[in-house]
Amino acid sequence: MKLSFAGNFLNVAAPLGSTAGDVFKAYFVSLHTDRKTEAMTTIVLDRVLGLGTRVLVVALMASMSPADGRLGQFRIYTLVMLAIGIAAVFAYLSPVLRRKLVPRGWLERLPM
């Protein structure tokens, strides 16, 4: 909980930009675990999930607002972004598309 609050504070208050808290959390978590890759992946997925949630909320608000209002002008953009995000998630989770798009020759060369 403390790490989350510290990261949020750095995202808002630090002059380094909105990713300063994420970099701090990733560095701090990687110091205290042997699973550094999983720790970094968790921080990145948290960021992606937060962005997706914000786009979803804006898309819902824009779709419910009047068309001539300020937010109604962004309706088409947010709905397109939402549709692209949903299509990307389904494409990533689809085993059929993974078999077709992922090059097997490269994967066989990796040390697993």
Side-chain angles (χ1 to χ4, degrees):
M1 192 65 125
K2 290 179 185 179
L3 188 60
S4 179
F5 282 135
N8 288 337
F9 174 76
L10 287 174
N11 279 341
V12 174
L16 302 173
S18 65
T19 58
D22 296 330
V23 171
F24 168 74
K25 285 192 289 187
Y27 173 72
F28 192 79
V29 168
S30 69
L31 288 178
H32 300 317
T33 185
D34 294 333
R35 298 179 175 184
K36 295 182 185 334
T37 305
E38 288 89 346
M40 298 291 187
T41 304
T42 302
I43 303 297
V44 170
L45 287 177
D46 179 49
R47 185 72 161 182
V48 169
L49 186 65
L51 177 65
T53 304
R54 285 184 183 182
V55 169
L56 179 64
V57 167
V58 171
L60 287 173
M61 289 175 58
S63 65
M64 291 182 201
S65 67
D68 59 342
R70 287 176 143 182
L71 197 55
Q73 298 171 0
F74 294 106
R75 177 181 300 156
I76 189 71
Y77 301 114
T78 55
L79 292 176
V80 167
M81 284 178 56
L82 187 63
I84 290 172
I86 290 171
V89 166
F90 280 118
Y92 177 75
L93 295 175
S94 169
V96 175
L97 285 177
R98 272 192 183 174
R99 272 187 251 125
K100 289 182 181 180
L101 297 177
V102 174
R104 293 286 174 192
W106 292 1
L107 289 178
E108 291 171 358
R109 289 187 226 159
L110 291 174
M112 293 186 196

